[in-house]
Amino acid sequence: QVTLKESGPVLVKPTETLTLTCTVSGFSLSNAGMGVSWIRQPPGKALEWLAHIFSNDEKSYNTSLNSRLTISKDTSKSQVVLAVTNMDPLDTATYYCARCYDSGDRRYFDVWGRGALVTVSS
Amino acid sequence: SYELAQPPSVSVSPGQTASITCSGDRLGDLYVYWYQKKPGQSPLLVIQQNSKRPSGIPERFSGSKSGNIATLTISGTQAMDEADYFCQVWDTTAVFGGGTKLTV
């Protein structure tokens, strides 16, 4: 059974850096054809894709947030980490990690974590 | 950056057919995916590669695409289908539409 679980702080202060960890099970982060993305949803708003890490460790970022995001993985720990710098109240959202099925022209999110609500407030 | 447009809301009576559209430049060249999102739950993939239903998704969910417009159709809509629906493509990066709130 494939599962993903997000962990991290529930509250961060403005200007701080948010670090979230996604722990996966049921598949390997080195499996060709599989990757992991981070996606968020602010309250009452749309899903917003943030970043992706491919099985070969290549990374891709939302161009609107590129300078603030860093994604990495530790395959031995089955973990994907997202860092978001300079947090703002507008970054308050539920943050999801999701497995991405990747076959080149077909990339979609077939398994999602339960999400982690992060609030930015002083 | 690439953008996908969806109607903010669609309303349907129980048992009727609901149609939700997703439009974007060059959508004809991309595979479209649809997700159902209910409050307090994680998104659920309901349509992959324009028109394929993943295992476990009811037959009343279907997808199609014509030119630069993709459509999610729910036939015989049930109360349990009330949710937000998002389309998604992967252009150079993943992109989600703005979402459509389906009211049954």
Side-chain angles (χ1 to χ4, degrees), chain A residues 37 39 41 45-49 52 54 60-64 96 100-101 104-110 112-115, chain B residues 1 30-31 33 35 37 40-45 48-49 52 84 86 88-99:
Chain A
S37 275
I39 298 150
Q41 186 178 32
K45 296 190 177 182
L47 296 172
E48 180 181 30
W49 176 82
H52 181 80
F54 295 83
S60 180
Y61 295 101
N62 183 317
T63 54
S64 300
Y96 297 96
C100 180
Y101 174 90
D105 63 343
R106 285 166 285 173
R107 289 180 179 148
Y108 58 91
F109 307 104
D110 61 347
W112 296 65
R114 296 182 66 177
Chain B
S1 61
L30 303 170
Y31 281 115
Y33 305 89
Y35 301 84
K37 175 71 171 67
Q41 297 184 18
S42 304
L44 173 69
L45 178 71
Q48 61 188 51
Q49 291 155 244
K52 297 181 179 181
D84 294 326
F86 295 89
Q88 175 250 317
V89 300
W90 196 295
D91 184 27
T92 55
T93 60
V95 178
F96 287 95

Short mmCIF file of all heavy atoms in Angstrom, two decimals, chain A residues 37 39 41 45-49 52 54 60-64 96 100-101 104-110 112-115, chain B residues 1 30-31 33 35 37 40-45 48-49 52 84 86 88-99:
data_model
loop_
_atom_site.label_atom_id
_atom_site.label_comp_id
_atom_site.label_asym_id
_atom_site.label_seq_id
_atom_site.Cartn_x
_atom_site.Cartn_y
_atom_site.Cartn_z
N SER A 37 5.66 15.51 -5.58
CA SER A 37 5.42 16.96 -5.62
C SER A 37 4.87 17.46 -4.30
O SER A 37 4.26 16.70 -3.54
CB SER A 37 4.40 17.30 -6.71
OG SER A 37 4.97 17.45 -7.98
N ILE A 39 2.17 20.38 -3.07
CA ILE A 39 1.03 21.15 -3.56
C ILE A 39 0.35 21.75 -2.35
O ILE A 39 0.25 21.10 -1.30
CB ILE A 39 0.05 20.23 -4.33
CG1 ILE A 39 0.75 19.62 -5.55
CG2 ILE A 39 -1.21 20.98 -4.73
CD1 ILE A 39 0.24 18.25 -5.94
N GLN A 41 -3.00 24.33 -0.69
CA GLN A 41 -4.32 24.91 -0.89
C GLN A 41 -4.61 25.89 0.23
O GLN A 41 -4.91 25.48 1.36
CB GLN A 41 -5.42 23.85 -0.96
CG GLN A 41 -6.78 24.44 -1.30
CD GLN A 41 -7.88 23.40 -1.43
OE1 GLN A 41 -7.86 22.39 -0.75
NE2 GLN A 41 -8.83 23.67 -2.32
N LYS A 45 -9.32 28.52 -1.38
CA LYS A 45 -8.72 28.83 -2.69
C LYS A 45 -8.35 27.56 -3.45
O LYS A 45 -8.62 26.45 -3.01
CB LYS A 45 -7.51 29.74 -2.50
CG LYS A 45 -7.88 31.10 -1.92
CD LYS A 45 -6.72 32.07 -1.97
CE LYS A 45 -7.13 33.44 -1.47
NZ LYS A 45 -6.02 34.43 -1.54
N ALA A 46 -7.70 27.76 -4.59
CA ALA A 46 -7.40 26.64 -5.48
C ALA A 46 -6.14 25.89 -5.06
O ALA A 46 -5.33 26.39 -4.26
CB ALA A 46 -7.23 27.15 -6.91
N LEU A 47 -5.99 24.72 -5.61
CA LEU A 47 -4.74 23.98 -5.46
C LEU A 47 -3.64 24.72 -6.20
O LEU A 47 -3.86 25.25 -7.30
CB LEU A 47 -4.88 22.57 -6.04
CG LEU A 47 -5.87 21.63 -5.37
CD1 LEU A 47 -6.02 20.34 -6.18
CD2 LEU A 47 -5.45 21.31 -3.94
N GLU A 48 -2.47 24.75 -5.60
CA GLU A 48 -1.32 25.42 -6.21
C GLU A 48 -0.12 24.48 -6.15
O GLU A 48 0.33 24.10 -5.05
CB GLU A 48 -0.99 26.73 -5.49
CG GLU A 48 0.19 27.47 -6.09
CD GLU A 48 0.51 28.75 -5.36
OE1 GLU A 48 0.27 28.84 -4.14
OE2 GLU A 48 1.03 29.69 -6.00
N TRP A 49 0.38 24.08 -7.29
CA TRP A 49 1.56 23.23 -7.35
C TRP A 49 2.80 24.04 -6.97
O TRP A 49 2.96 25.18 -7.45
CB TRP A 49 1.72 22.64 -8.74
CG TRP A 49 2.95 21.83 -8.92
CD1 TRP A 49 3.14 20.53 -8.57
CD2 TRP A 49 4.19 22.26 -9.50
NE1 TRP A 49 4.41 20.12 -8.89
CE2 TRP A 49 5.07 21.18 -9.46
CE3 TRP A 49 4.62 23.47 -10.04
CZ2 TRP A 49 6.37 21.25 -9.95
CZ3 TRP A 49 5.91 23.56 -10.53
CH2 TRP A 49 6.78 22.46 -10.48
N HIS A 52 8.58 19.85 -7.48
CA HIS A 52 8.59 18.44 -7.81
C HIS A 52 10.02 17.93 -7.83
O HIS A 52 10.93 18.65 -8.26
CB HIS A 52 7.97 18.21 -9.19
CG HIS A 52 7.92 16.78 -9.60
ND1 HIS A 52 6.94 15.92 -9.15
CD2 HIS A 52 8.71 16.04 -10.41
CE1 HIS A 52 7.14 14.72 -9.67
NE2 HIS A 52 8.20 14.76 -10.44
N PHE A 54 12.10 14.54 -9.23
CA PHE A 54 12.02 13.34 -10.05
C PHE A 54 12.87 12.22 -9.45
O PHE A 54 13.70 12.46 -8.57
CB PHE A 54 12.50 13.64 -11.47
CG PHE A 54 11.64 14.62 -12.23
CD1 PHE A 54 11.78 15.99 -12.05
CD2 PHE A 54 10.67 14.16 -13.11
CE1 PHE A 54 10.97 16.89 -12.74
CE2 PHE A 54 9.86 15.06 -13.80
CZ PHE A 54 10.02 16.42 -13.62
N SER A 60 12.00 20.62 -10.14
CA SER A 60 11.23 21.61 -10.89
C SER A 60 10.45 22.44 -9.90
O SER A 60 9.94 21.91 -8.90
CB SER A 60 10.29 20.90 -11.87
OG SER A 60 9.54 21.83 -12.62
N TYR A 61 10.33 23.74 -10.18
CA TYR A 61 9.68 24.66 -9.24
C TYR A 61 8.65 25.54 -9.91
O TYR A 61 8.75 25.86 -11.10
CB TYR A 61 10.74 25.57 -8.59
CG TYR A 61 11.75 24.86 -7.73
CD1 TYR A 61 13.02 24.57 -8.19
CD2 TYR A 61 11.42 24.48 -6.43
CE1 TYR A 61 13.96 23.92 -7.40
CE2 TYR A 61 12.35 23.83 -5.62
CZ TYR A 61 13.61 23.55 -6.12
OH TYR A 61 14.53 22.90 -5.32
N ASN A 62 7.65 25.95 -9.11
CA ASN A 62 6.69 26.95 -9.55
C ASN A 62 7.47 28.25 -9.77
O ASN A 62 8.12 28.75 -8.85
CB ASN A 62 5.62 27.12 -8.47
CG ASN A 62 4.53 28.11 -8.85
OD1 ASN A 62 4.81 29.17 -9.40
ND2 ASN A 62 3.31 27.75 -8.56
N THR A 63 7.38 28.76 -10.98
CA THR A 63 8.20 29.94 -11.31
C THR A 63 7.84 31.15 -10.48
O THR A 63 8.67 32.02 -10.25
CB THR A 63 8.07 30.27 -12.81
OG1 THR A 63 6.68 30.43 -13.13
CG2 THR A 63 8.65 29.16 -13.66
N SER A 64 6.59 31.21 -10.01
CA SER A 64 6.16 32.36 -9.20
C SER A 64 6.80 32.37 -7.82
O SER A 64 6.91 33.42 -7.19
CB SER A 64 4.64 32.35 -9.04
OG SER A 64 3.99 32.43 -10.28
N TYR A 96 0.22 19.67 0.87
CA TYR A 96 0.13 18.25 0.54
C TYR A 96 1.41 17.80 -0.17
O TYR A 96 1.95 18.53 -1.00
CB TYR A 96 -1.03 17.96 -0.41
CG TYR A 96 -2.40 18.26 0.13
CD1 TYR A 96 -3.02 19.47 -0.14
CD2 TYR A 96 -3.10 17.29 0.86
CE1 TYR A 96 -4.30 19.73 0.32
CE2 TYR A 96 -4.38 17.55 1.33
CZ TYR A 96 -4.97 18.77 1.05
OH TYR A 96 -6.23 19.01 1.53
N CYS A 100 3.75 11.35 -7.90
CA CYS A 100 3.49 11.68 -9.29
C CYS A 100 3.87 10.52 -10.17
O CYS A 100 5.03 10.08 -10.18
CB CYS A 100 4.27 12.93 -9.69
SG CYS A 100 4.02 13.44 -11.40
N TYR A 101 2.90 10.00 -10.89
CA TYR A 101 3.19 9.00 -11.92
C TYR A 101 3.81 9.75 -13.08
O TYR A 101 3.27 10.74 -13.55
CB TYR A 101 1.91 8.29 -12.35
CG TYR A 101 2.12 7.36 -13.51
CD1 TYR A 101 2.46 6.03 -13.29
CD2 TYR A 101 1.99 7.79 -14.83
CE1 TYR A 101 2.67 5.16 -14.35
CE2 TYR A 101 2.19 6.94 -15.90
CZ TYR A 101 2.53 5.63 -15.66
OH TYR A 101 2.74 4.78 -16.70
N GLY A 104 6.80 10.66 -18.85
CA GLY A 104 7.17 11.63 -19.88
C GLY A 104 6.03 12.57 -20.19
O GLY A 104 5.93 13.64 -19.61
N ASP A 105 5.15 12.15 -21.08
CA ASP A 105 4.05 13.04 -21.45
C ASP A 105 2.83 12.84 -20.54
O ASP A 105 1.83 13.53 -20.70
CB ASP A 105 3.65 12.83 -22.91
CG ASP A 105 3.13 11.42 -23.18
OD1 ASP A 105 3.38 10.53 -22.34
OD2 ASP A 105 2.50 11.21 -24.23
N ARG A 106 2.93 11.89 -19.63
CA ARG A 106 1.85 11.65 -18.68
C ARG A 106 2.38 11.82 -17.26
O ARG A 106 3.18 11.00 -16.80
CB ARG A 106 1.27 10.25 -18.86
CG ARG A 106 0.38 10.11 -20.08
CD ARG A 106 0.11 8.67 -20.40
NE ARG A 106 1.27 8.05 -21.02
CZ ARG A 106 1.36 6.76 -21.29
NH1 ARG A 106 0.38 5.95 -20.95
NH2 ARG A 106 2.43 6.26 -21.86
N ARG A 107 1.97 12.89 -16.62
CA ARG A 107 2.39 13.15 -15.24
C ARG A 107 1.18 13.60 -14.45
O ARG A 107 0.57 14.64 -14.75
CB ARG A 107 3.48 14.24 -15.20
CG ARG A 107 4.81 13.77 -15.75
CD ARG A 107 5.85 14.85 -15.70
NE ARG A 107 7.12 14.35 -16.23
CZ ARG A 107 8.01 15.10 -16.87
NH1 ARG A 107 7.77 16.38 -17.05
NH2 ARG A 107 9.13 14.57 -17.30
N TYR A 108 0.84 12.82 -13.44
CA TYR A 108 -0.32 13.14 -12.63
C TYR A 108 -0.12 12.58 -11.24
O TYR A 108 0.77 11.77 -10.99
CB TYR A 108 -1.60 12.58 -13.27
CG TYR A 108 -1.59 11.08 -13.50
CD1 TYR A 108 -2.08 10.21 -12.53
CD2 TYR A 108 -1.11 10.55 -14.68
CE1 TYR A 108 -2.06 8.84 -12.74
CE2 TYR A 108 -1.09 9.19 -14.89
CZ TYR A 108 -1.57 8.33 -13.93
OH TYR A 108 -1.56 6.98 -14.15
N PHE A 109 -1.00 13.01 -10.32
CA PHE A 109 -0.83 12.71 -8.90
C PHE A 109 -1.81 11.63 -8.49
O PHE A 109 -3.01 11.88 -8.38
CB PHE A 109 -1.01 14.00 -8.10
CG PHE A 109 -0.12 15.10 -8.61
CD1 PHE A 109 -0.64 16.14 -9.37
CD2 PHE A 109 1.25 15.08 -8.38
CE1 PHE A 109 0.19 17.13 -9.88
CE2 PHE A 109 2.08 16.06 -8.89
CZ PHE A 109 1.54 17.09 -9.64
N ASP A 110 -1.29 10.42 -8.30
CA ASP A 110 -2.18 9.30 -8.07
C ASP A 110 -2.39 8.97 -6.59
O ASP A 110 -3.38 8.32 -6.25
CB ASP A 110 -1.72 8.05 -8.84
CG ASP A 110 -0.34 7.57 -8.42
OD1 ASP A 110 0.38 8.32 -7.71
OD2 ASP A 110 0.03 6.44 -8.79
N TRP A 112 -2.06 10.86 -2.62
CA TRP A 112 -1.82 12.09 -1.88
C TRP A 112 -1.70 11.80 -0.39
O TRP A 112 -2.30 10.87 0.13
CB TRP A 112 -3.00 13.06 -2.07
CG TRP A 112 -3.20 13.55 -3.46
CD1 TRP A 112 -3.54 12.81 -4.56
CD2 TRP A 112 -3.09 14.89 -3.92
NE1 TRP A 112 -3.64 13.62 -5.67
CE2 TRP A 112 -3.38 14.91 -5.30
CE3 TRP A 112 -2.78 16.11 -3.29
CZ2 TRP A 112 -3.37 16.08 -6.06
CZ3 TRP A 112 -2.78 17.28 -4.05
CH2 TRP A 112 -3.07 17.26 -5.42
N GLY A 113 -0.93 12.63 0.28
CA GLY A 113 -0.93 12.60 1.73
C GLY A 113 -2.18 13.26 2.27
O GLY A 113 -2.98 13.82 1.51
N ARG A 114 -2.34 13.23 3.57
CA ARG A 114 -3.54 13.80 4.19
C ARG A 114 -3.46 15.32 4.30
O ARG A 114 -4.47 15.98 4.54
CB ARG A 114 -3.75 13.18 5.56
CG ARG A 114 -4.05 11.69 5.50
CD ARG A 114 -4.30 11.12 6.88
NE ARG A 114 -5.54 11.66 7.47
CZ ARG A 114 -6.03 11.29 8.63
NH1 ARG A 114 -5.39 10.38 9.36
NH2 ARG A 114 -7.13 11.81 9.10
N GLY A 115 -2.26 15.83 4.16
CA GLY A 115 -2.09 17.27 4.21
C GLY A 115 -1.70 17.76 5.60
O GLY A 115 -2.01 17.12 6.61
N SER B 1 3.23 32.32 -17.40
CA SER B 1 3.02 30.96 -16.96
C SER B 1 1.69 30.44 -17.52
O SER B 1 0.77 31.22 -17.79
CB SER B 1 3.02 30.90 -15.43
OG SER B 1 2.00 31.69 -14.89
N LEU B 30 -1.95 18.50 -24.65
CA LEU B 30 -1.61 18.03 -23.31
C LEU B 30 -2.65 17.05 -22.78
O LEU B 30 -3.84 17.15 -23.12
CB LEU B 30 -1.51 19.21 -22.34
CG LEU B 30 -0.50 20.31 -22.71
CD1 LEU B 30 -0.70 21.53 -21.81
CD2 LEU B 30 0.92 19.79 -22.62
N TYR B 31 -2.22 16.15 -21.93
CA TYR B 31 -3.17 15.29 -21.23
C TYR B 31 -3.79 16.09 -20.08
O TYR B 31 -3.10 16.82 -19.37
CB TYR B 31 -2.47 14.05 -20.67
CG TYR B 31 -2.21 12.98 -21.70
CD1 TYR B 31 -0.91 12.63 -22.04
CD2 TYR B 31 -3.26 12.31 -22.31
CE1 TYR B 31 -0.65 11.64 -22.98
CE2 TYR B 31 -3.02 11.33 -23.25
CZ TYR B 31 -1.71 11.00 -23.58
OH TYR B 31 -1.48 10.02 -24.51
N TYR B 33 -6.08 15.97 -16.49
CA TYR B 33 -6.44 15.14 -15.35
C TYR B 33 -7.43 15.91 -14.49
O TYR B 33 -7.40 17.14 -14.42
CB TYR B 33 -5.18 14.77 -14.55
CG TYR B 33 -4.13 14.11 -15.41
CD1 TYR B 33 -3.18 14.86 -16.08
CD2 TYR B 33 -4.14 12.73 -15.59
CE1 TYR B 33 -2.25 14.26 -16.91
CE2 TYR B 33 -3.21 12.12 -16.42
CZ TYR B 33 -2.27 12.89 -17.08
OH TYR B 33 -1.36 12.28 -17.91
N TYR B 35 -9.40 16.11 -10.58
CA TYR B 35 -9.37 15.72 -9.18
C TYR B 35 -10.63 16.22 -8.48
O TYR B 35 -11.10 17.32 -8.75
CB TYR B 35 -8.14 16.32 -8.46
CG TYR B 35 -6.83 15.88 -9.08
CD1 TYR B 35 -6.31 16.56 -10.17
CD2 TYR B 35 -6.14 14.78 -8.58
CE1 TYR B 35 -5.12 16.15 -10.76
CE2 TYR B 35 -4.94 14.38 -9.16
CZ TYR B 35 -4.45 15.06 -10.26
OH TYR B 35 -3.28 14.66 -10.84
N LYS B 37 -12.14 17.25 -4.80
CA LYS B 37 -11.63 17.67 -3.49
C LYS B 37 -12.82 18.01 -2.59
O LYS B 37 -13.58 18.94 -2.85
CB LYS B 37 -10.72 18.89 -3.66
CG LYS B 37 -10.23 19.51 -2.37
CD LYS B 37 -9.23 18.65 -1.67
CE LYS B 37 -8.56 19.35 -0.51
NZ LYS B 37 -9.51 19.63 0.60
N GLY B 40 -11.80 18.82 4.04
CA GLY B 40 -11.18 17.96 5.03
C GLY B 40 -10.58 16.69 4.48
O GLY B 40 -10.06 15.87 5.23
N GLN B 41 -10.66 16.52 3.16
CA GLN B 41 -10.10 15.32 2.53
C GLN B 41 -9.01 15.71 1.54
O GLN B 41 -8.96 16.84 1.06
CB GLN B 41 -11.19 14.52 1.82
CG GLN B 41 -12.27 13.98 2.74
CD GLN B 41 -13.27 13.10 1.99
OE1 GLN B 41 -13.02 12.61 0.88
NE2 GLN B 41 -14.42 12.89 2.62
N SER B 42 -8.18 14.74 1.21
CA SER B 42 -7.17 14.95 0.18
C SER B 42 -7.81 14.87 -1.20
O SER B 42 -8.85 14.22 -1.37
CB SER B 42 -6.07 13.89 0.30
OG SER B 42 -5.51 13.87 1.59
N PRO B 43 -7.21 15.52 -2.19
CA PRO B 43 -7.73 15.40 -3.55
C PRO B 43 -7.70 13.94 -4.01
O PRO B 43 -6.84 13.17 -3.61
CB PRO B 43 -6.75 16.26 -4.37
CG PRO B 43 -6.23 17.26 -3.39
CD PRO B 43 -6.11 16.50 -2.10
N LEU B 44 -8.67 13.61 -4.87
CA LEU B 44 -8.80 12.26 -5.41
C LEU B 44 -8.81 12.34 -6.92
O LEU B 44 -9.62 13.08 -7.50
CB LEU B 44 -10.10 11.61 -4.90
CG LEU B 44 -10.47 10.26 -5.51
CD1 LEU B 44 -9.48 9.19 -5.04
CD2 LEU B 44 -11.90 9.88 -5.15
N LEU B 45 -7.94 11.60 -7.57
CA LEU B 45 -7.90 11.55 -9.03
C LEU B 45 -9.14 10.82 -9.54
O LEU B 45 -9.37 9.66 -9.17
CB LEU B 45 -6.63 10.83 -9.48
CG LEU B 45 -6.43 10.64 -10.98
CD1 LEU B 45 -6.12 11.99 -11.65
CD2 LEU B 45 -5.29 9.64 -11.25
N GLN B 48 -8.00 10.39 -15.61
CA GLN B 48 -6.62 10.52 -16.05
C GLN B 48 -6.54 10.48 -17.57
O GLN B 48 -7.42 9.90 -18.22
CB GLN B 48 -5.73 9.44 -15.45
CG GLN B 48 -6.12 8.03 -15.83
CD GLN B 48 -5.34 6.97 -15.05
OE1 GLN B 48 -5.28 7.03 -13.82
NE2 GLN B 48 -4.74 6.03 -15.74
N GLN B 49 -5.51 11.11 -18.10
CA GLN B 49 -5.29 11.12 -19.54
C GLN B 49 -6.56 11.43 -20.33
O GLN B 49 -6.98 10.67 -21.20
CB GLN B 49 -4.70 9.77 -19.99
CG GLN B 49 -3.28 9.58 -19.49
CD GLN B 49 -2.90 8.11 -19.37
OE1 GLN B 49 -2.65 7.62 -18.29
NE2 GLN B 49 -2.88 7.42 -20.48
N LYS B 52 -9.78 8.58 -19.05
CA LYS B 52 -9.71 7.27 -18.40
C LYS B 52 -10.06 7.36 -16.92
O LYS B 52 -9.57 8.25 -16.22
CB LYS B 52 -8.31 6.68 -18.57
CG LYS B 52 -7.92 6.42 -20.01
CD LYS B 52 -6.54 5.80 -20.09
CE LYS B 52 -6.15 5.51 -21.54
NZ LYS B 52 -4.81 4.88 -21.63
N ASP B 84 -15.36 20.25 -4.77
CA ASP B 84 -14.62 21.08 -5.71
C ASP B 84 -13.90 20.16 -6.68
O ASP B 84 -13.38 19.11 -6.29
CB ASP B 84 -13.61 21.96 -4.98
CG ASP B 84 -14.27 22.99 -4.08
OD1 ASP B 84 -15.36 23.49 -4.45
OD2 ASP B 84 -13.70 23.30 -3.02
N PHE B 86 -10.93 20.05 -9.77
CA PHE B 86 -9.80 20.76 -10.35
C PHE B 86 -9.26 19.99 -11.54
O PHE B 86 -9.07 18.77 -11.47
CB PHE B 86 -8.67 20.91 -9.32
CG PHE B 86 -9.01 21.75 -8.14
CD1 PHE B 86 -9.58 21.19 -7.00
CD2 PHE B 86 -8.76 23.12 -8.15
CE1 PHE B 86 -9.90 21.96 -5.89
CE2 PHE B 86 -9.07 23.90 -7.04
CZ PHE B 86 -9.64 23.32 -5.92
N GLN B 88 -5.98 19.51 -14.21
CA GLN B 88 -4.53 19.63 -14.09
C GLN B 88 -3.88 19.16 -15.38
O GLN B 88 -4.33 18.22 -16.01
CB GLN B 88 -4.01 18.78 -12.92
CG GLN B 88 -2.49 18.73 -12.78
CD GLN B 88 -1.90 17.38 -13.12
OE1 GLN B 88 -2.42 16.33 -12.75
NE2 GLN B 88 -0.76 17.37 -13.84
N VAL B 89 -2.83 19.87 -15.76
CA VAL B 89 -1.98 19.45 -16.87
C VAL B 89 -0.55 19.57 -16.41
O VAL B 89 -0.25 20.18 -15.38
CB VAL B 89 -2.20 20.31 -18.14
CG1 VAL B 89 -3.63 20.24 -18.62
CG2 VAL B 89 -1.78 21.76 -17.90
N TRP B 90 0.34 18.95 -17.19
CA TRP B 90 1.77 19.17 -16.98
C TRP B 90 2.29 19.76 -18.29
O TRP B 90 2.42 19.06 -19.29
CB TRP B 90 2.50 17.87 -16.63
CG TRP B 90 3.85 18.15 -16.04
CD1 TRP B 90 4.92 18.73 -16.68
CD2 TRP B 90 4.28 17.90 -14.70
NE1 TRP B 90 5.96 18.85 -15.80
CE2 TRP B 90 5.62 18.35 -14.59
CE3 TRP B 90 3.67 17.33 -13.58
CZ2 TRP B 90 6.35 18.25 -13.41
CZ3 TRP B 90 4.40 17.23 -12.41
CH2 TRP B 90 5.72 17.69 -12.32
N ASP B 91 2.57 21.05 -18.25
CA ASP B 91 3.16 21.73 -19.39
C ASP B 91 4.67 21.62 -19.20
O ASP B 91 5.23 20.56 -19.34
CB ASP B 91 2.66 23.18 -19.43
CG ASP B 91 3.14 23.94 -20.64
OD1 ASP B 91 3.40 23.30 -21.67
OD2 ASP B 91 3.27 25.17 -20.56
N THR B 92 5.35 22.66 -18.87
CA THR B 92 6.74 22.55 -18.42
C THR B 92 6.79 22.27 -16.93
O THR B 92 7.79 21.77 -16.41
CB THR B 92 7.52 23.84 -18.73
OG1 THR B 92 6.82 24.92 -18.15
CG2 THR B 92 7.63 24.04 -20.24
N THR B 93 5.70 22.60 -16.26
CA THR B 93 5.51 22.29 -14.84
C THR B 93 4.06 21.89 -14.66
O THR B 93 3.25 22.02 -15.58
CB THR B 93 5.82 23.50 -13.94
OG1 THR B 93 4.94 24.57 -14.30
CG2 THR B 93 7.27 23.96 -14.08
N ALA B 94 3.71 21.42 -13.48
CA ALA B 94 2.31 21.09 -13.21
C ALA B 94 1.51 22.37 -13.02
O ALA B 94 1.98 23.34 -12.43
CB ALA B 94 2.21 20.22 -11.95
N VAL B 95 0.28 22.36 -13.53
CA VAL B 95 -0.62 23.50 -13.41
C VAL B 95 -2.01 22.98 -13.06
O VAL B 95 -2.49 22.02 -13.68
CB VAL B 95 -0.69 24.31 -14.72
CG1 VAL B 95 -1.68 25.46 -14.57
CG2 VAL B 95 0.69 24.82 -15.10
N PHE B 96 -2.65 23.62 -12.10
CA PHE B 96 -4.03 23.31 -11.74
C PHE B 96 -4.94 24.44 -12.20
O PHE B 96 -4.55 25.62 -12.19
CB PHE B 96 -4.18 23.15 -10.23
CG PHE B 96 -3.59 21.88 -9.68
CD1 PHE B 96 -2.31 21.87 -9.15
CD2 PHE B 96 -4.32 20.70 -9.69
CE1 PHE B 96 -1.75 20.72 -8.64
CE2 PHE B 96 -3.77 19.53 -9.17
CZ PHE B 96 -2.48 19.54 -8.66
N GLY B 97 -6.15 24.08 -12.57
CA GLY B 97 -7.15 25.09 -12.82
C GLY B 97 -7.62 25.71 -11.52
O GLY B 97 -7.29 25.24 -10.42
N GLY B 98 -8.42 26.75 -11.64
CA GLY B 98 -8.88 27.48 -10.46
C GLY B 98 -9.93 26.76 -9.63
O GLY B 98 -10.27 27.20 -8.53
N GLY B 99 -10.44 25.66 -10.18
CA GLY B 99 -11.41 24.88 -9.43
C GLY B 99 -12.86 25.28 -9.70
O GLY B 99 -13.15 26.44 -9.96
#
